[in-house]
Amino acid sequence: MNNRVAYLDGIRACAALYVLIHHAFMTAYPDRITGVVPGWTGRVFGWAIWGHFGVTVFIVLAGYSLALGVAKHGGNLPGGFRGYMTKRSWRIIPAYWIALAATIILSVTVIGTQTGTHWDQSAPSSPKGWLVDFLLLQDIVPVRNAAYTFWSISVEYHIYLLLPLMLLVWRRINWPAAIAAGVLVGVIGIVAAFGDERIWRLHPSYYLLFALAAGACICTIQRPDIAVRIPWRSIGILCAATGAATLWVFGYARTLDDYWWLDVLFGIATICLIVSMQLGRASSAEKVFNWRPFATASAFSYTLYLIHAQLLQVFWQLVIRPFNLAATWQLVLLWLVACPLIVLISWGAARYMEAPFVRLAAKRSRTGTTLPGPVSEPR
């Protein structure tokens, strides 16, 4: 099995594009935080509210993709723990720091004040917030992030530490115990968060999903005879339907405090979709996610995630704000003009923010030195 799986790239691209559409929607309708989007816009386009679950998909993809290689090598990390974390650091941090520097410049010059849009979560920013973001401690230290999307970068980076722990258990016991250990970490975190709300900042439900995704991958590779007997499609449909029904009935405002278990539901649904495609049980979905443009978008999806919120606000302030347009027309311009433009800019920016480190990874890989992972790996 190749570590690069086309439909994983397709899912990643769709999640990144959905997050972009979601934040454009929030820019036009900042009052949606109450769960109220008036008129036909809310009825027709209300599906764009749930962009948070795009990050849930990213976490699942990280767990599944990273497990592909180690599952084929009996639970061994190529290059050991140091090589693994070095590789992950090179893949995540340089582009993130470049985006952080650009965000600070924009905050000082263009988008540093509150305007009544969703960007108010990041304005005004401060040197303390910049430092915490730089050190990837925003999931531990409560600050106003330089960009409201940066919260997830530290969460995912720290979740990477879970895989070596699972593999340590695998080597000492077996792979089912490794999966159980990872799941236990997530469950303990969720239980502890009910006693200390600060733990929710770590998003323990994501640790649970990371472990489940890695476990599903390991099971499928190590024991395909077991994997084929699991009703992945039925479980996935049940989880997705339950989550969607909950969101439909209770709406945005009333489900904010329930995101941890909704994350679990939609995360499990994503895992089941991936495994179903791997087992050849979801050919239609596989054709959709194998669509070549999705693979192209996946190559710069990390850059898109890092810079899209800032660019949306720049567009809103320079193009939309001067005309005092109604929210509906703001959404039209944001979706039909700003979003395609941001995708194009991200494609170009990725050549400088991501591509150099991908090339370095390929070069070091040829010389046998473990450094950054290929572009197909999770972002």
Side-chain angles (χ1 to χ4, degrees), residues 149-168:
T149 53
F150 286 171
W151 68 271
S152 66
I153 307 300
S154 59
V155 172
E156 180 169 347
Y157 185 71
H158 294 149
I159 285 176
Y160 290 154
L161 295 171
L162 185 58
L163 184 61
L165 172 63
M166 294 173 62
L167 299 183
L168 178 63

Side-chain angles (χ1 to χ4, degrees), residues 116-295:
T117 64
H118 193 64
W119 183 255
D120 286 359
Q121 294 185 70
S122 303
S125 57
S126 67
K128 177 184 177 181
W130 303 339
L131 178 61
V132 170
D133 284 349
F134 177 80
L135 297 174
L136 284 169
L137 294 175
Q138 56 266 47
D139 58 339
I140 300 173
V141 182
V143 294
R144 187 191 296 270
N145 296 135
Y148 55 74
T149 53
F150 286 171
W151 68 271
S152 66
I153 307 300
S154 59
V155 172
E156 180 169 347
Y157 185 71
H158 294 149
I159 285 176
Y160 290 154
L161 295 171
L162 185 58
L163 184 61
L165 172 63
M166 294 173 62
L167 299 183
L168 178 63
V169 176
W170 185 348
R171 289 195 296 272
R172 295 194 175 186
I173 307 178
N174 53 36
W175 64 265
I179 298 171
V183 170
L184 183 62
V185 169
V187 171
I188 290 174
I190 292 171
V191 173
F194 282 100
D196 186 346
E197 291 188 355
R198 292 174 296 181
I199 297 178
W200 287 121
R201 295 184 60 85
L202 301 173
H203 290 268
S205 58
Y206 285 170
Y207 285 77
L208 173 61
L209 286 174
F210 183 93
L212 288 174
C217 179
I218 292 169
C219 177
T220 304
I221 293 174
Q222 292 290 314
R223 291 297 303 271
D225 57 315
I226 295 177
V228 296
R229 293 201 297 267
I230 298 174
W232 298 101
R233 287 184 60 183
S234 299
I235 295 172
I237 291 172
L238 177 62
C239 288
T242 302
T246 301
L247 298 179
W248 176 268
V249 173
F250 294 104
Y252 184 88
R254 291 179 62 186
T255 54
L256 280 175
D257 294 333
D258 296 318
Y259 264 10
W260 71 268
W261 66 266
L262 288 168
D263 279 327
V264 173
L265 283 179
F266 287 117
I268 291 175
T270 304
I271 293 170
C272 291
L273 172 64
I274 293 172
V275 176
S276 295
M277 288 190 288
Q278 183 172 332
L279 296 175
R281 297 177 179 176
S283 57
S284 297
E286 188 173 351
K287 289 179 181 178
V288 171
F289 292 118
N290 280 341
W291 191 37
R292 188 172 182 83
F294 285 154

Side-chain angles (χ1 to χ4, degrees), residues 2-219:
N2 194 304
N3 278 16
R4 186 180 187 99
V5 181
Y7 51 75
L8 296 183
D9 287 341
I11 295 173
R12 182 178 296 113
C14 288
L17 292 170
Y18 178 61
V19 170
L20 169 63
I21 291 171
H22 160 67
H23 284 143
F25 186 87
M26 291 193 298
T27 301
Y29 288 94
D31 59 341
R32 76 93 183 93
I33 201 70
T34 64
V36 178
V37 178
W40 66 269
T41 307
R43 292 190 295 271
V44 176
F45 299 119
W47 51 267
I49 290 177
W50 314 108
H52 165 84
F53 299 110
V55 178
T56 305
V57 173
F58 293 147
I59 297 299
V60 168
L61 289 170
Y64 199 92
S65 299
L66 288 173
L68 281 172
V70 298
K72 294 187 298 180
H73 294 89
N76 294 312
L77 278 173
F81 175 77
R82 182 177 178 180
Y84 165 76
M85 288 308 298
T86 300
K87 183 177 181 179
R88 292 293 91 217
S89 298
W90 274 93
R91 188 63 190 92
I92 293 293
I93 294 177
Y96 167 67
W97 277 349
I98 293 171
L100 175 60
T103 304
I104 293 172
I105 293 172
L106 287 173
S107 296
V108 172
T109 58
V110 182
I111 56 175
T113 59
Q114 295 200 348
T115 56
T117 64
H118 193 64
W119 183 255
D120 286 359
Q121 294 185 70
S122 303
S125 57
S126 67
K128 177 184 177 181
W130 303 339
L131 178 61
V132 170
D133 284 349
F134 177 80
L135 297 174
L136 284 169
L137 294 175
Q138 56 266 47
D139 58 339
I140 300 173
V141 182
V143 294
R144 187 191 296 270
N145 296 135
Y148 55 74
T149 53
F150 286 171
W151 68 271
S152 66
I153 307 300
S154 59
V155 172
E156 180 169 347
Y157 185 71
H158 294 149
I159 285 176
Y160 290 154
L161 295 171
L162 185 58
L163 184 61
L165 172 63
M166 294 173 62
L167 299 183
L168 178 63
V169 176
W170 185 348
R171 289 195 296 272
R172 295 194 175 186
I173 307 178
N174 53 36
W175 64 265
I179 298 171
V183 170
L184 183 62
V185 169
V187 171
I188 290 174
I190 292 171
V191 173
F194 282 100
D196 186 346
E197 291 188 355
R198 292 174 296 181
I199 297 178
W200 287 121
R201 295 184 60 85
L202 301 173
H203 290 268
S205 58
Y206 285 170
Y207 285 77
L208 173 61
L209 286 174
F210 183 93
L212 288 174
C217 179
I218 292 169
C219 177

